[in-house]
Each structure stands twice: as C-alpha cells, then as structure tokens.
Amino acid sequence: MPARGRIEFRPWTVLILLIAFMVAVPVLVVAAFVLVPSGDIWQHLASTVLASYVINSLWLMIGVGAGVLVLGVGTAWLVTMADFPGRRLFEWALLLPLAVPAYVIAYTYTGLLDYAGPVQSGLRDVFGWTSARDYWFPEIRSLGGAIVMMTLVLYPYVYLLARSAFLEQSVCALEVSRTLGCSSLRSFLLVAIPLARPSIVAGVALAQMEALNDFGTVQYFAVDTFTTGIYRTWFGLGSPAAAAQLAAVFMLFMLVLILFERWHRRGARFHHATVTYRPLPRRELDPGRRALTFMACLAPVAFGFLIPCAALTVWTIETFDKTVDARFFKLALHSLTLATIASACAVLLAVIMAYGNRLRPGRVTELAIRVVGMGYAIPGAVVAVGVLLPFAAIDNSVDTWMRAIFGISTGLLLSGTLFAVIYAYLVRFLAVSVGTVEASLGRVTRSMDGAARTLGAGTVGTLWRVHAPIMWSSLLTAGLLVFVDVMKELPATLIIRPFNYDTLAIRVFELASDEQLAESSSAALAIVLVGIVPVVILSRAIARARPGDHHG
C-alpha cells in the first residue's frame, strides 16, 4: 500500500514543483543577466544615476517605514484598548486607505495642492498673494511628498497585523503589568509592543516592499528609484541587459528586507498561559482624551481615503461627459478581463499547491510553497523584465527558424501578449491566493479525507466533492484579493501589455502624466471602488480574530 500511495500522489508533487519553477523563472533570468555584458550603459548608469536610485530607495524605505509604524501601531492600539465614540466604526474604516493605490492618491493630492489647485488658489485669494514668491508652500512633487503619500495608503498593513496581535494578547499579561504599577503607556511600551513585535515588523516590511515596488508615484514626482530606472533603461536606453542588472540590484533590497524581517522574529515565540479568553478591558477616557483619540483615528482615514475620494468624485462629476464614454468601458472591460482570468488561474494553482502539499507533505513541497510565497516580494518591474527577456528570446528563435525553413515570420508569439501579462500577474500575486487557500484547507479535518476514501472517492473526487464546498468562501476570498491586486497593478502591466491594450490603471497613469488630473478621476475612482471589496473582507476577518470576543 505505501508504494501504491506514493505512485498515486506523485503527480501532485510534480505539479507543485512545476508551479514553483514557473514563479522562480523570472528571478532566475534576472539573476543570470548579471553577468551578461551591457556595453557602456551600465558604466553610464553607475557613474550618473545609480547612486540616486540607491539613496532615494533607502530614504523611501526609512520614511515610509517610520510613518506606517507610528500610524499603524498607534491607531491599532487606540481602537483595541480605548473606549471612545466611533471606535466600532474606526475598526474597519482605518482599513479603507488600503483601497486607494499610491499613485491615485499622489495624483489626487497633486491636483489639490499644486500651484493651480484649490488650496493654494484659496490661500492667494484670502491673503492677497499674487505669486508663488509671496509665500511658502510645501512641494508635494518631492521625495518627502512621495513618502507622505505612500504612508497614508500603506499604514493599514501595519494596523491590520498589529491589531490582530493586540487582540490575541493575553489580558493577564497586561493586568500583571498594571498591578506592578505600570501606567497604560508603560504597559503599551513594555508589554504590548514587545509581544506584538513580530507582527509589527512583518507589517512594516510589507509596507516598505510595496513602497519600493511603486512606480506611478515616484515617476510622477520625478523621484529616481529602481522602478523608474528599470523602465527608463529598457525603453529609453533600449538595453534589456542593463535593465535586468538594475533589477538584480533592486532584488538585493528586497532580499535584505526579507532577511531582516526573518532575523527580527527569529526564535520569537509567544504563548498564552491560559486557554480562557476574556473581553479586552478597554479604558474609559475623559472627554478631552476622547476627543484627541477620535481625531487621531479620524486623521489617517480623512487624509488617506475621504478627502481623495471626495475630490475624485467631484472631478468625475465635472468630467463625466468627456471621460465616461465608450473608451472608458473598453478599458474597464480590459481590466476586468485580465483580473478575472488572473484570479481564476491563481485560485486553481493555489488549490493544486495547497492540496498537493496536504497529500504529499515534505521538505520539497514546503520549499516549493515558500518559493511561491516569495513572488509577492518581487517588484512588478522586476517581474516584467524577467518575463519579457525569455519570452523575447523564444519569439526570436522561433521566428528565425521559421524564416530559415519556411520563409515566413511568426512575429511575437509570447512577448507582448495577454499570456505574458497573466503570467506576470501569477508570479506576483499567486502567493496571496496560496496563503488564503492553505489556511482554509488547514481547517478541514483529515478525518473527512479518510471518510471520503472509504466511500470510494479518489483524491480529485475528495477535493471536488468534500473540500471545495467547505472552502468555497475562502476560494472566493482568494480570488477577490488577486482580482483587486491586478486591477491596481501598474508597472508590470505598463511594460508587458499588448500594443493598444490599455487598462484603467494605465489610463490613470497616462492622463496624470499629461497633467489631465481631473480627466483621470473616473478611472481612478473605479479602481478605488473595486479596492473596497477586500477591505470589507479583511475587516470581517479581523473582527473574528479573538476567540470569545465576538462583540468587538
């Protein structure tokens, strides 16, 4: 029987390894191009702009990391431990900025805060200023502006993980600290923060990865980073090899972040001393502190979601006749098509990986799943380079062979096709669906597998008839998360998309680049509205995070 079992499950292991290899190919290609000569272009980059790429990327990491740490941890602690008006509302409202892509909020605030925008125009009218030389106003199109914009939409990563960690903490530990004379602030700093440290560090690292992956904001603000450098080197200098070498250096940043996050939570294990959960004792605040706490929670929601959405709504109404036309619906159809296909493929591959690992657990399958999980850390621009280089090589080889044998040209078979775009999306976002499906499958007891087998069901039959109905909501969640990520994705789509196959995200980027900020609002608002879906899902999930505390 054991030998028979190994033969039966071997195809699942092969499938898992194939999927992991598919995800790893772009990274391997980029790494292999480190040694490929790129002529004088690399020397030119190293002597001119490489230093600015490194310095700006480092400041972006540091600035966004500090900003999301303060906003995410602070708001998570307030809504978890303090009792103030609107707390239940802020529990999920603080996640809303996650629905706004960084480039959308950057374009929106530029339209509001630049010289011709309503804020500066209003100030000039009120104080009688006649030109920019009469007053000082912060320049939003700067590195500092990019840090603020990204902080406003990326802090929910830290808020989400920190709040989950605070909800799972033992009340006993906090009560002991209070009996030892610690104030609320000291209990927060000396007990709650150290216990939640692994989650907080993971959230900060995730936000920093997203900041480094951003293309639309830094390109629009003229901040030179690796993502803009890869794009310009490929399309401006026409050197795929030099672009791949920049991508390889870029991946080192990501590797350092991942290793730092893993190192920081090395050996960190926190266990509850009791299995009994009690509702968290929220602190009653005096009227003054209630007002301050309310404003502290309202500010990130207002600046990260309400104000940008209000501006987008007003601009959409003003430009509705010009922007919401047949082309808008065509672009929306393109976005929906790509997102639907990518999410369906991602869920299917995730089920294969998670179920295969359940059937054939081992170091090889675990390693394969870890490889897939690393895909989310690979920036979209790097994935695009890693996908286009081998696809272009295959296209050129086939075309050369067909010309030599049959005298006909095959053109582009892989590069510049929807297949290449979907492939890049899967490399980037498959980790999202794998994590969700794996967690859902883990809640299905193995006794159900045995019962199905005794009734004559095979492995596929068990998956289809037993597991799939139980996991249906999680499969839908996994698909929705990938769907929304694809709707917002910009750098990979911009580089790989087929000719004349634009999406809503591309339309927003192009119009904003042409300074038509109001005209880009309808497409941007559509992306934001779609992005609210996972926010609702995450909010419901986190509300159920603490056993025995169903009432929040």
Side-chain angles (χ1 to χ4, degrees), residues 24-36 230 234 240-252 378-390:
V25 163
V27 177
L28 297 175
V29 168
V30 170
F33 263 77
V34 171
L35 302 178
V36 174
I230 292 169
W234 185 296
Q245 289 165 358
L246 267 181
V249 178
F250 191 14
M251 282 199 300
L252 290 178
I378 306 172
V382 176
V383 172
V385 172
V387 169
L388 276 185
L389 286 173

Side-chain angles (χ1 to χ4, degrees), residues 388-402 409-417:
L388 276 185
L389 286 173
F391 280 12
I394 294 172
D395 285 342
N396 290 332
S397 299
V398 173
D399 186 68
T400 302
W401 185 79
M402 290 294 288
S409 174
T410 56
L412 299 178
L413 297 175
L414 295 175
S415 52
T417 64

